[in-house]
Amino acid sequence: MAILVLIVMTLALWAAWLGWDQHRDVQPDGSVTGPYEAWQVIGLVLTLLVPVYWAASRRYIAGAVLGVTIGLTGAAYYDWSDDSSGLFMVGVGMVMVGSLVVTGAVSAVIASVTKADPT
C-alpha cells in the first residue's frame, strides 16, 4: 500500500513542479536549455522528502524507495517520450538509477535516526 501511495504522490509532485513546463529556452549563442529551471527540480526534490520521510520513519523502506523510483521513472518516461532523438531513454535510465540510489540512502538515514512510529 505504501508503494502505491508514494507512486501517486510522486506523479502528482512531478506534474506540479515539472509537468507544466514544456518550453525550451534558446540562449543568445544559439544553445538550447530547459525545459526545467533549477528551482523546479529543487522544489520537486525537497517536496519529495516529505513522503519519503513519512514512509521511512515508519520502516516502509521498500515503499519509499520503490514508490519514488517508479513514480519518477514513469513520469520522466511519459514526459520525455516525444523526444525525436531517441536519447530520452538515457535520461529516463539516469532518473531511475539516481532516484533508486538517493532515495535508498535517504530512507536508510531517516530510518536509522528516527524511532519506529506505528501510526
Side-chain angles (χ1 to χ4, degrees):
M1 181 66 162
I3 292 175
L4 292 176
V5 170
L6 270 288
I7 290 172
V8 170
M9 289 184 78
T10 302
L11 291 171
L13 288 171
W14 178 287
W17 285 102
L18 306 178
W20 55 271
D21 191 357
Q22 301 300 314
H23 176 72
R24 295 194 181 274
D25 299 318
V26 179
Q27 304 302 318
D29 65 357
S31 63
V32 180
T33 62
Y36 315 122
E37 299 291 332
W39 66 267
Q40 291 172 281
V41 178
I42 292 167
L44 173 63
V45 169
L46 291 177
T47 54
L48 279 172
L49 286 174
V50 174
V52 168
Y53 180 85
W54 172 83
S57 65
R58 286 159 178 74
R59 304 300 189 261
Y60 303 136
I61 304 298
V65 174
L66 295 177
V68 170
T69 300
I70 291 168
L72 287 177
T73 303
Y77 181 86
Y78 178 79
D79 201 15
W80 301 342
S81 63
D82 61 348
D83 177 40
S84 61
S85 73
L87 290 176
F88 78 94
M89 283 305 296
V90 174
V92 171
M94 291 172 68
V95 166
M96 181 182 68
V97 171
S99 61
L100 184 68
V101 169
V102 171
T103 309
V106 168
S107 296
V109 168
I110 291 169
S112 69
V113 298
T114 58
K115 289 176 115 178
D117 185 10
T119 59

